[in-house]
Amino acid sequence: MAGSVNKVILVGNLGADPDVKRMSSGDPVVNLSVATSESWRDKASGERKERTEWHRVVIFNDQLAKVAEQYLKKGAKVYLEGALQTRKWQDQNGQDKYTTEIVLQRYRGELQMLDGRNERDGGGYQGGQSGGGQQRSVSNDSGYGGGNQGGNQGGQSSGGGDFSRDMDDEIPF
Amino acid sequence: MAGSVNKVILVGNLGADPDVKRMSSGDPVVNLSVATSESWRDKASGERKERTEWHRVVIFNDQLAKVAEQYLKKGAKVYLEGALQTRKWQDQNGQDKYTTEIVLQRYRGELQMLDGRNERDGGGYQGGQSGGGQQRSVSNDSGYGGGNQGGNQGGQSSGGGDFSRDMDDEIPF
Amino acid sequence: MAGSVNKVILVGNLGADPDVKRMSSGDPVVNLSVATSESWRDKASGERKERTEWHRVVIFNDQLAKVAEQYLKKGAKVYLEGALQTRKWQDQNGQDKYTTEIVLQRYRGELQMLDGRNERDGGGYQGGQSGGGQQRSVSNDSGYGGGNQGGNQGGQSSGGGDFSRDMDDEIPF
Amino acid sequence: MAGSVNKVILVGNLGADPDVKRMSSGDPVVNLSVATSESWRDKASGERKERTEWHRVVIFNDQLAKVAEQYLKKGAKVYLEGALQTRKWQDQNGQDKYTTEIVLQRYRGELQMLDGRNERDGGGYQGGQSGGGQQRSVSNDSGYGGGNQGGNQGGQSSGGGDFSRDMDDEIPF
DNA sequence: TTTT
DNA sequence: TTTT
């Protein structure tokens, strides 16, 4: 208890399909790899520069995890809100490693799909899902919309093949 | 100076095309009407409820204003960040009125277009713009991407006719 | 239309003690008046300018409302997070009025007291609270994290001597 | 891929005095170590639990860096806003390491001191600063708002006696 | 009505 | 390493 705030807000694209694991309790845990990028014009050279940042996101929350599992795909654009958490672990050589993640927990996190509306005509990421109910806005709240929103938007969207391919190559973890 | 923070973050859709005015200085001022909505299942009735909130957004910033003017259209989905400000004014009867707006100012605000990517094939809001460079991410910063980002995304998107029509009907200001 | 976000983040001071009302259900509703201010040096005149903004905050949430009622006083500095909501109402002359408020609801809002540390020695804002327990951080969640916070990730968030030592040794700046 | 947002908001305490370095350009770079903590009551055991998270913050910005250097001390409570960035580096054994930091850059970040009010009487964190001027709110903007803040909107932000009176009279709750 |  |  210390009057503190630990909040991360991201709008970015998934570099891969959600990675779903089960905890010993059976609860799902979903890992996402989310890219944000910024571009600017270099003052000196006048060149256009771009920098992509990759974020590890972990969803510890039945409800959000299920939605992520069902509705998110590689390339999807999401809004998400969580907290920073750094874990220490040892690699195979016993070396200490630290990994910083954005953690979404029950009542402490939010996840919103930001695309989907315009894909009615087909589309999809890779091999195309059927669409329908793809846009899904999920408040991390069981009584306020949680998991029940959306459904009225239709399709969903992709980053296009190039984007996805590039992502595979570049993800640093 | 008081260690204070006044920040609004919205992800929503434009209910109308941007409204551009000129100040006496010639600088553009852009007003946006942005809808956010949430839906939830009513516990008692089991019905699905939805509530839309309309936000008045004012952009006092050459750069952002220009981008808004050029790239935003009715139905566009945006991420924006600004500050709350309440103005007092008198109506024609001399009655005091208060209007609360989200103000984006130079170095104090951000605006990002969140759709557009998947519209390469045409689409558009109403009468269709040509697309190209429609997705535009704008940092409110002249040296970090400001106004120069994007361009690589292609089309842009709409909320579809229904959405737009409904909006016209419902905007309460 | 989903995939929307409506979020306000304020750090400011209470202009008055919390105003507590009861709903017909008996649940408390707390209204706060929160000031944020910003100051800057006017480029033309060189003068120091200041502008204060007043925000109406409404807490619809038993837990948060109780904490606000108990721990917040005029002058208190708070961090709070809620959603914008505009209500229409009629004044005594039947004139339409709109009031925009920052609403904190269950699972949708946060409230943190940011002072208190230095009140131990007595003090307090007005007529002095007893001290002790002044700083109060309140997540809008009745049991957030619970047993799931750390343990289920098999890691730890740094801290501890090792971490510091390692960092000193290894981080190259 | 544009239309992205990468934002971190922290309210926490400095675990040490700011660490100031100079870049080859002579510009200061300030590193902060910021703690956030959360506490909750464990449902099973009923015990009070606490978890502290440490954040590495890097300030690349003359103005903010100077303020941090001058006004921040171990123990200080701050509000800060920046972007996540993960750097890869090699330790002395040639092992790859990743460090995630919250980066504050020009026009992209904010820093606010949240204590100070109660330091007038001396005190201070460690060995006492002179007091006065302790609270310092710093927008990451060399002249933000400037003459454009309020005046150009022809309004005012409420405040003032009228506002309060009107409200008392008219607001129906 | 706060705070600096 | 902070804070409560």
Side-chain angles (χ1 to χ4, degrees):
Chain A
M1 181 172 59
S4 64
V5 174
N6 173 0
K7 183 176 292 289
V8 180
I9 290 173
L10 299 181
V11 174
N13 297 282
L14 268 64
D17 285 350
D19 172 33
V20 186
K21 302 229 166 73
R22 298 283 148 189
M23 299 188 64
S24 48
S25 65
D27 290 334
V29 178
V30 174
N31 286 271
L32 305 177
S33 183
V34 176
T36 57
S37 63
E38 49 186 347
S39 68
W40 67 97
R41 187 161 298 281
D42 186 69
K43 286 168 182 169
S45 68
E47 291 173 70
R48 179 126 289 280
K49 303 276 194 173
E50 178 159 350
R51 185 182 200 290
T52 293
E53 188 70 34
W54 287 95
H55 308 270
R56 298 181 65 88
V57 174
V58 189
I59 306 177
F60 287 108
N61 173 322
D62 252 34
Q63 189 184 29
L64 285 184
K66 279 172 193 159
V67 175
E69 186 175 0
Q70 282 181 58
Y71 297 98
L72 297 181
K73 295 287 172 192
K74 182 175 180 176
K77 176 161 290 204
V78 292
Y79 169 96
L80 64 85
E81 209 177 308
L84 281 174
Q85 211 162 284
T86 298
R87 295 186 289 114
K88 185 185 186 180
W89 50 287
Q90 277 80 32
D91 69 5
Q92 62 276 38
N93 304 320
Q95 292 272 333
D96 285 347
K97 301 274 184 176
Y98 294 90
T99 298
T100 298
E101 294 162 321
I102 293 119
V103 176
L104 278 70
Q105 273 165 324
R106 199 148 174 63
Y107 308 135
R108 311 227 79 189
E110 196 166 340
L111 177 60
Q112 304 264 3
M113 282 202 58
L114 296 178
D115 40 22
R117 205 172 37 173
N118 310 291
E119 311 303 295
R120 296 178 192 119
D121 35 49
Y125 307 107
Q126 302 279 95
Q129 314 67 348
S130 54
Q134 196 62 30
Q135 182 162 347
R136 195 80 191 182
S137 89
V138 183
S139 159
N140 193 348
D141 160 21
S142 49
Y144 210 67
N148 291 324
Q149 305 201 47
N152 51 347
Q153 261 73 26
Q156 48 98 316
S157 122
S158 106
D162 323 358
F163 174 64
S164 303
R165 193 170 11 79
D166 289 354
M167 282 188 154
D168 282 342
D169 296 341
E170 296 171 27
I171 291 183
F173 49 77
Chain B
M1 180 172 60
S4 64
V5 173
N6 173 359
K7 182 174 293 289
V8 179
I9 291 173
L10 298 181
V11 174
N13 297 280
L14 268 64
D17 285 350
D19 172 33
V20 186
K21 302 230 166 70
R22 299 282 147 189
M23 301 186 65
S24 48
S25 66
D27 290 335
V29 177
V30 175
N31 286 270
L32 305 177
S33 183
V34 176
T36 57
S37 63
E38 47 184 349
S39 67
W40 68 97
R41 187 163 299 279
D42 185 69
K43 286 170 185 169
S45 67
E47 291 173 70
R48 178 126 292 279
K49 304 275 193 174
E50 177 157 351
R51 185 184 200 290
T52 295
E53 187 70 33
W54 288 96
H55 308 272
R56 298 182 64 88
V57 174
V58 190
I59 306 178
F60 288 106
N61 174 321
D62 253 35
Q63 190 185 27
L64 285 184
K66 280 173 192 157
V67 174
E69 188 175 0
Q70 283 182 57
Y71 298 100
L72 296 182
K73 295 287 171 192
K74 182 176 181 174
K77 176 160 288 203
V78 293
Y79 169 97
L80 62 85
E81 209 177 308
L84 280 174
Q85 212 162 283
T86 298
R87 295 186 288 114
K88 185 185 184 178
W89 52 285
Q90 276 80 31
D91 69 7
Q92 61 276 36
N93 304 319
Q95 291 273 334
D96 286 346
K97 300 274 185 176
Y98 295 89
T99 298
T100 299
E101 295 162 320
I102 293 117
V103 176
L104 279 71
Q105 274 166 321
R106 200 147 173 62
Y107 309 137
R108 309 227 80 190
E110 196 166 342
L111 178 59
Q112 304 265 4
M113 281 202 59
L114 296 179
D115 39 22
R117 201 173 43 176
N118 309 292
E119 310 304 294
R120 294 179 192 117
D121 33 52
Y125 305 109
Q126 300 281 95
Q129 315 70 344
S130 53
Q134 196 60 29
Q135 182 163 347
R136 196 79 189 182
S137 90
V138 182
S139 160
N140 192 348
D141 160 20
S142 49
Y144 210 70
N148 290 325
Q149 305 200 47
N152 51 348
Q153 260 74 25
Q156 45 97 314
S157 122
S158 104
D162 323 358
F163 175 64
S164 302
R165 191 169 14 81
D166 289 353
M167 282 187 152
D168 282 344
D169 297 341
E170 298 172 26
I171 292 181
F173 49 76
Chain C
M1 179 178 55
S4 65
V5 174
N6 173 358
K7 184 176 290 290
V8 180
I9 291 173
L10 298 181
V11 175
N13 298 280
L14 269 64
D17 286 350
D19 173 32
V20 186
K21 302 235 164 69
R22 299 282 147 187
M23 299 187 70
S24 49
S25 66
D27 290 334
V29 178
V30 175
N31 286 270
L32 304 177
S33 183
V34 175
T36 56
S37 62
E38 49 185 348
S39 67
W40 68 96
R41 187 162 298 281
D42 185 69
K43 285 168 183 169
S45 67
E47 290 173 72
R48 182 126 285 279
K49 303 276 193 174
E50 177 159 348
R51 184 181 199 290
T52 293
E53 188 70 32
W54 288 95
H55 308 270
R56 299 182 63 85
V57 175
V58 190
I59 306 178
F60 288 108
N61 173 319
D62 253 34
Q63 190 188 22
L64 286 184
K66 280 174 193 157
V67 175
E69 187 175 0
Q70 282 181 59
Y71 297 99
L72 296 181
K73 294 287 170 192
K74 182 178 182 174
K77 175 160 289 202
V78 293
Y79 169 96
L80 63 86
E81 210 176 308
L84 280 174
Q85 210 163 285
T86 297
R87 293 187 291 111
K88 185 185 185 179
W89 51 285
Q90 278 79 33
D91 69 6
Q92 62 275 38
N93 304 319
Q95 293 273 333
D96 285 347
K97 300 274 183 175
Y98 294 90
T99 298
T100 299
E101 295 162 320
I102 292 117
V103 176
L104 279 71
Q105 272 165 324
R106 199 146 175 66
Y107 308 136
R108 310 226 82 189
E110 196 166 340
L111 177 60
Q112 303 266 4
M113 283 204 56
L114 296 177
D115 39 23
R117 196 172 48 174
N118 310 292
E119 311 299 300
R120 290 183 197 113
D121 34 50
Y125 307 109
Q126 298 283 94
Q129 314 70 341
S130 53
Q134 193 64 24
Q135 183 162 345
R136 191 82 190 179
S137 91
V138 182
S139 160
N140 192 350
D141 159 22
S142 49
Y144 74 89
N148 292 328
Q149 279 294 9
N152 55 5
Q153 291 169 68
Q156 46 119 301
S157 76
S158 75
D162 323 356
F163 177 62
S164 302
R165 191 169 15 80
D166 289 352
M167 284 193 149
D168 283 343
D169 296 343
E170 299 173 332
I171 291 187
F173 61 82
Chain D
M1 181 179 53
S4 65
V5 173
N6 173 358
K7 182 175 293 289
V8 181
I9 290 174
L10 299 180
V11 174
N13 297 282
L14 269 66
D17 285 349
D19 174 32
V20 186
K21 303 235 164 65
R22 297 284 147 188
M23 299 188 67
S24 48
S25 65
D27 289 334
V29 178
V30 174
N31 286 271
L32 305 177
S33 182
V34 175
T36 57
S37 61
E38 49 185 347
S39 67
W40 67 97
R41 187 161 299 280
D42 185 68
K43 286 167 183 171
S45 68
E47 291 172 71
R48 181 125 285 280
K49 304 276 194 173
E50 179 160 347
R51 184 182 199 288
T52 294
E53 187 71 35
W54 288 96
H55 308 270
R56 301 182 62 85
V57 175
V58 190
I59 306 176
F60 287 109
N61 172 322
D62 254 34
Q63 191 190 20
L64 286 185
K66 279 173 192 159
V67 174
E69 186 175 1
Q70 280 181 58
Y71 296 99
L72 296 182
K73 295 287 170 193
K74 182 178 183 173
K77 175 161 289 201
V78 292
Y79 169 97
L80 63 85
E81 209 177 307
L84 280 175
Q85 210 164 283
T86 297
R87 294 187 290 111
K88 185 184 186 180
W89 51 286
Q90 277 81 30
D91 70 6
Q92 61 274 38
N93 304 321
Q95 292 273 332
D96 285 347
K97 300 274 184 174
Y98 294 90
T99 297
T100 299
E101 294 162 320
I102 293 118
V103 176
L104 279 70
Q105 273 164 323
R106 199 149 176 62
Y107 308 135
R108 308 227 83 188
E110 195 166 342
L111 178 61
Q112 302 265 5
M113 283 203 57
L114 295 178
D115 38 24
R117 195 175 47 175
N118 310 293
E119 312 299 300
R120 293 181 194 116
D121 35 51
Y125 308 109
Q126 300 282 93
Q129 313 72 342
S130 54
Q134 193 62 25
Q135 182 162 348
R136 191 81 188 179
S137 91
V138 183
S139 158
N140 193 350
D141 160 22
S142 48
Y144 74 92
N148 292 330
Q149 279 295 11
N152 52 5
Q153 291 168 71
Q156 44 121 302
S157 76
S158 77
D162 321 357
F163 177 61
S164 303
R165 191 171 12 81
D166 288 354
M167 283 192 150
D168 284 341
D169 295 342
E170 298 172 334
I171 287 186
F173 62 82

